[in-house]
Amino acid sequence: MILDIYDTVYVWVGSDANAIEKKEALRTVKEYVATDPTNRSVDDTQLLQVKQGFEPPGFTACFHGWDPEKWSGGKSYEELKREMNDENAGITLVDTELEKYSKKYPYSELSARHPPEGVDACCKEKYLSDEEFQKVFGMSPAAFEKQPKWKKDTQKKAKKLF
């Protein structure tokens, strides 16, 4: 969900959203502001991700029927912040969140049972640096992509990246 209050645009992400949904929500909010017919831009508009259960007062004030106890277990926003030891608990910049989806990771982290946050488990190989990709697969990413799907899947399984 996108909430636009002109100088700040929130993108609310539910706790059950998967990595692809989160990534696309973040991209969508940037595109939304970039294509806005007014004179604002992504550079002069604050784009914030708000996680379910950590909605700040500036967000919830826009909804008259907001039930603050629905996701927070009865705790106030201030209590949740204290619990997290973070002044901005549950709120992050959209660009910071988008970086998670383009970051490169070492093979050891990608081949672990649970990949890092933001990694699409269906294509872990895309998060390897070109150099490490060459070491792991013995070919460049471009050469790998030219292969048939069944062959790529077999290689990914052998390298624990499937």
Side-chain angles (χ1 to χ4, degrees):
M1 175 191 73
I2 294 175
L3 174 62
D4 184 350
I5 57 173
Y6 196 74
D7 62 338
T8 302
V9 179
Y10 296 99
V11 59
W12 182 87
V13 178
S15 61
D16 292 331
N18 64 40
I20 294 169
E21 292 168 332
K22 290 177 187 176
K23 179 181 176 181
E24 291 307 313
L26 297 168
R27 283 189 183 166
T28 299
V29 77
K30 286 189 79 164
E31 183 180 336
Y32 169 79
V33 173
T35 59
D36 185 354
T38 65
N39 290 333
R40 70 179 174 175
S41 70
V42 292
D43 296 325
D44 62 13
T45 306
Q46 191 173 31
L47 307 178
L48 299 174
Q49 174 187 267
V50 177
K51 293 182 180 175
Q52 179 178 336
F54 295 94
E55 296 84 358
F59 178 89
T60 60
C62 296
F63 302 94
H64 297 291
W66 189 269
D67 181 358
E69 297 182 13
K70 179 83 173 174
W71 309 112
S72 65
K75 297 176 186 169
S76 71
Y77 179 67
E78 295 303 319
E79 290 170 320
L80 289 168
K81 284 191 327 187
R82 253 183 271 116
E83 195 173 281
M84 301 270 309
N85 288 328
D86 185 355
E87 186 171 325
N88 295 314
I91 304 169
T92 52
L93 294 172
V94 167
D95 285 337
T96 303
E97 289 298 316
L98 274 172
E99 286 173 10
K100 293 177 184 176
Y101 298 97
S102 58
K103 184 177 175 186
K104 300 296 181 184
Y105 295 93
Y107 172 72
S108 59
E109 288 184 39
L110 293 169
S111 60
R113 183 176 177 144
H114 300 289
E117 182 184 356
V119 170
D120 183 348
C122 296
C123 53
K124 293 179 186 177
E125 73 281 1
K126 293 184 179 181
Y127 298 90
L128 290 168
S129 67
D130 289 347
E131 182 181 294
E132 192 153 19
F133 192 99
Q134 182 73 40
K135 277 197 269 183
V136 172
F137 288 101
M139 67 182 80
S140 70
F144 181 82
E145 285 302 318
K146 290 180 183 175
Q147 299 180 107
K149 184 178 180 339
W150 68 266
K151 196 168 190 176
K152 291 189 285 189
D153 288 348
T154 301
Q155 291 171 329
K156 287 168 39 174
K157 286 177 187 175
K159 302 298 181 184
K160 297 181 181 174
L161 291 174
F162 193 76

